[in-house]
């Protein structure tokens, strides 16, 4: 079956602009996660959803970052007033349920470059 | 804040060589350790989810062990092949009521034909 997909695969924007990154999880997966990998670092947690609600948004770096999952499937990560430091690969993952033993299935990521 | 460390940062081996690398994590409040393989331009792929002290898991030529008392896991690759070239990531849970994974920085493996 189809895996996790993310669009766009690459996004180049200018400092100060608004961007939206989309994630399509595996059908039927109720948990959805966003991570960010900056150069030379491992992926860092941003937020996760259980169904439509954000169960943990403690990783969002500041109020310029926001994510939604209105129907419990597709999620959009929104970044306002982008800064050069936001340049990174943004990864989305989903799992059948949220749980420490449940495998998270990752998408290929969106590479965001802020000029 | 959970601290997950991996070593070495990068590794070059000849085709056919066996190799291993390390993931260290806090031994207190341990719940689970995940290993992923991330090839360039592809999605990170789950290799193992390890939960019990002494766990050993195997998938083809790749295997992993877990020591939760001392807080480390080893990943072994037997007879490395060029297609094994990838970044290998390990991740653990803080377990503090959240399901966020905390990743190490990864070990980048290059297998030279």
């Amino acid at each position: 079956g189809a895996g996790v997909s993310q669009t766009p695969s690459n996004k180049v924007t200018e400092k100060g602009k608004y961007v939206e990154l989309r994630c399509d999880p595996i059908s039927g997966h109720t948990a959805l996660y966003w991570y960010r990998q900056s150069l030379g670092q491992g992926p860092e947690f941003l937020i996760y959803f259980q169904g439509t609600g954000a169960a943990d948004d403690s990783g969002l770096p500041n109020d310029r970052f926001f994510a939604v999952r209105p129907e419990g499937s597709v999620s959009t990560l929104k970044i306002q007033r982008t800064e050069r430091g936001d340049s990174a690969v943004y990864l989305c993952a989903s799992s059948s349920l949220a749980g420490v033993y449940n495998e998270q299935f990752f998408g290929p990521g969106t590479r965001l470059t802020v000029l | 804040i959970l601290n997950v460390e991996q070593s070495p940062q990068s590794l070059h081996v000849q085709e056919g060589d066996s190799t291993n690398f390390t993931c260290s994590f806090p031994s207190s409040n341990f719940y689970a350790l995940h290993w992923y393989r991330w090839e360039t331009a592809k999605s990170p792929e789950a290799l193992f989810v390890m939960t019990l002290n002494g766990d050993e898991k195997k998938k083809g030529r790749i295997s992993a062990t877990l020591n939760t008392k001392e807080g480390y896991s080893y990943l072994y690759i037997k007879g490395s092949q060029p297609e094994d070239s990838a970044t290998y990531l390990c991740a653990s849970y803080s377990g503090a009521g959240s399901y966020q994974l905390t990743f190490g920085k990864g070990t980048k493996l290059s297998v030279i034909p």
Side-chain angles (χ1 to χ4, degrees):
Chain A
V4 178
S5 63
Q6 293 186 245
T7 53
S9 55
N10 280 284
K11 176 72 178 177
V12 180
T13 191
E14 293 179 343
K15 180 171 178 278
K17 300 288 188 183
Y18 169 81
V19 295
E20 290 190 352
L21 311 179
R22 176 185 167 109
C23 173
D24 277 270
I26 292 172
S27 178
H29 278 193
T30 61
L32 184 147
Y33 312 80
W34 283 99
Y35 295 86
R36 170 171 81 168
Q37 187 193 32
S38 302
L39 196 62
Q41 304 296 315
E44 292 177 291
F45 170 80
L46 295 175
I47 184 171
Y48 95 89
F49 292 86
Q50 181 63 46
T52 59
D56 181 356
D57 64 359
S58 62
L60 294 177
N62 51 59
D63 61 7
R64 295 187 297 106
F65 289 73
F66 189 69
V68 295
R69 195 185 185 201
E71 297 178 359
S73 55
V74 170
S75 176
T76 305
L77 179 66
K78 307 180 182 195
I79 311 174
Q80 297 178 322
R81 304 183 305 279
T82 51
E83 299 177 356
R84 292 196 180 89
D86 299 334
S87 296
V89 175
Y90 289 80
L91 290 165
C92 175
S94 69
S95 62
S96 53
L97 288 171
V100 297
Y101 309 120
N102 293 342
E103 179 181 332
Q104 294 185 19
F105 295 83
F106 281 83
T110 293
R111 181 174 295 278
L112 175 67
T113 303
V114 182
L115 301 176
Chain B
I1 296 176
L2 196 65
N3 192 29
V4 178
E5 296 186 352
Q6 293 187 247
S7 62
Q9 187 175 342
S10 64
L11 193 55
H12 291 77
V13 301
Q14 290 291 138
E15 182 176 354
D17 286 352
S18 294
T19 187
N20 66 85
F21 21 93
T22 306
C23 172
S24 301
F25 53 87
S27 55
S28 59
N29 295 322
F30 174 81
Y31 286 83
L33 187 86
H34 293 228
W35 280 101
Y36 285 87
R37 173 171 62 197
W38 194 0
E39 295 179 62
T40 303
K42 294 188 177 179
S43 304
E45 173 198 357
L47 291 173
F48 306 113
V49 179
M50 308 186 78
T51 58
L52 298 175
N53 185 47
D55 250 357
E56 290 189 32
K57 296 208 170 182
K58 188 174 181 182
K59 190 175 188 175
R61 293 178 292 97
I62 303 176
S63 60
T65 61
L66 180 68
N67 183 325
T68 61
K69 295 186 186 304
E70 296 182 37
Y72 64 83
S73 175
Y74 292 139
L75 191 81
Y76 300 90
I77 303 178
K78 184 177 178 182
S80 303
Q81 299 296 308
E83 59 265 31
D84 297 328
S85 297
T87 295
Y88 291 82
L89 293 162
C90 68
S92 187
Y93 282 99
S94 67
S98 173
Y99 300 121
Q100 55 174 281
L101 282 170
T102 299
F103 283 85
K105 293 182 180 181
T107 293
K108 185 172 182 179
L109 175 67
S110 300
V111 181
I112 304 161

